[in-house]
Amino acid sequence: MTKENLAAPAAVLTRPDMSSPADTSSRADTSSRAGGPSRIDASLLDVHVRGSGPALLLAHGAGGGIEPNFGQVLDDLARDHTVVGPHYPGAGASPVAREPLDLDALVDAVVESAVSRGHERFVLLGESLGTVVSLRAAARYPQRVTGLVLTVGFAVADPVLSVAAELVTTLAHAGEWDTLARFATYAGLTDRELNELPGEALEAAVAATREGMPAGMADHFDLVRRIDVRADLASIRVPALVLMPTGDRLVLPDSSRRLAEALPDATLVEIPGGAHILGERDRTLWLGHVREFLTGLPG
């Protein structure tokens, strides 16, 4: 779910019929199976690449994407970095997975999207679900990950996020996309932002959210319900910047606070009043903190 989706319609993939959780007849196969969890074929993922310099690997949120989640700052980050942004299965132009997403398989594909393009080491920037992807990547690939930027982060879904993820998957499988768009609009904004939207603008925001929801949204939130990387945190030794919007009501701020406390080398920074989906003012503040963090990383 993204702020851009709340402002203007976004391109959307043809959505498979999700009238029941088992209906995968129209899904493309992104995986190869050789026993155990399915491997995601990274070569099939839609990967956004721009800029030059040290690599920044982006991990987007559930129901999001690279442009929707990071679009406001991509040009700035690409001034002096190579930005690599893979879309998860069912986001961007990446085909939807046939099977439930596996965290390790997703992490491996995200990392491969950078390594296959010649970037052996990189800083990971994760948002929401992408923070969990980033944390597991740091645990699985300590030789590759040099730093972490974790926005609206969590290691395991808190009670609010868990209920929200269950609601999203239930509504998606029932085909209740209009209702889901209303919920997503509500969850992504603060009370102040909602109160400042007149009726017509609110309806336009809901319609834009509805248009921008990716085909794999239910799969992403199903993964949110199942992941737990708390056991990884003590082993992650790279510097981490944890950015906590204090107005977030989808991922509770306490989740980011607990995450920062559990990581050995983390700095927690508040974004006062920020929502789960950062607006232009808060994203500008975010960029300043991220730039300072990147500058301070060991060469």
Side-chain angles (χ1 to χ4, degrees):
M1 292 177 285
T2 67
K3 186 72 75 175
E4 284 76 4
N5 289 349
L6 299 170
V12 65
L13 297 175
T14 301
R15 185 173 292 107
D17 179 7
M18 303 182 73
S19 57
S20 69
D23 185 0
T24 60
S25 58
S26 62
R27 297 183 176 205
D29 192 354
T30 62
S31 63
S32 61
R33 285 166 285 280
S38 299
R39 182 181 70 84
I40 296 171
D41 187 346
S43 70
L44 298 180
L45 298 185
D46 174 19
V47 182
H48 178 113
V49 182
R50 72 169 72 174
S52 61
L56 302 177
L57 180 56
L58 309 183
H60 65 75
I66 299 305
E67 282 285 350
N69 282 158
F70 299 98
Q72 295 175 352
V73 296
L74 284 175
D75 285 340
D76 188 283
L77 294 174
R79 286 191 294 108
D80 48 7
H81 292 84
T82 300
V83 178
V84 181
H87 290 86
Y88 308 153
S94 296
V96 180
R98 284 190 178 275
E99 298 183 345
L101 292 175
D102 173 76
L103 178 59
D104 287 346
L106 180 59
V107 165
D108 291 346
V110 167
V111 169
E112 178 61 21
S113 71
V115 174
S116 65
R117 289 167 173 81
H119 305 291
E120 298 290 337
R121 289 165 61 79
F122 39 78
V123 177
L124 263 159
L125 282 68
E127 302 228 344
S128 197
L129 170 60
T131 65
V132 186
V133 172
S134 299
L135 290 163
R136 178 55 60 85
R140 283 174 72 81
Y141 297 95
Q143 76 281 14
R144 298 198 183 280
V145 178
T146 60
L148 296 169
V149 176
L150 308 170
T151 307
V152 294
F154 61 96
V156 65
D158 60 51
V160 171
L161 179 58
S162 181
V163 170
E166 182 176 1
L167 180 60
V168 168
T169 54
T170 299
L171 290 172
H173 289 314
E176 296 288 344
W177 295 98
D178 292 337
T179 302
L180 177 51
R182 290 190 176 279
F183 171 74
T185 303
Y186 170 83
L189 300 176
T190 64
D191 289 339
R192 176 183 58 79
E193 289 171 327
L194 285 171
N195 288 333
E196 291 175 354
L197 282 176
E200 290 184 0
L202 180 58
E203 289 305 312
V206 171
T209 299
R210 168 68 173 85
E211 183 69 14
M213 292 188 298
M217 188 167 181
D219 293 336
H220 301 169
F221 276 93
D222 173 65
L223 181 60
V224 168
R225 293 191 300 174
R226 295 184 280 109
I227 49 182
D228 184 349
V229 298
R230 287 175 292 183
D232 293 340
L233 301 183
S235 68
I236 297 173
R237 300 291 174 175
V238 297
L241 175 64
V242 179
L243 292 144
M244 181 183 74
T246 61
D248 191 350
R249 54 186 180 186
L250 185 60
V251 176
L252 295 180
D254 276 350
S255 291
S256 291
R257 187 174 291 109
R258 287 193 293 269
L259 175 59
E261 291 172 351
L263 288 168
D265 188 9
T267 300
L268 177 67
V269 174
E270 293 186 1
I271 300 179
H276 186 75
I277 308 301
L278 297 179
E280 183 177 355
R281 178 183 63 85
D282 291 330
R283 185 59 79 174
T284 299
L285 180 62
W286 176 96
L287 182 60
H289 291 306
V290 171
R291 279 284 179 189
E292 182 180 2
F293 174 75
L294 294 175
T295 300
L297 289 176

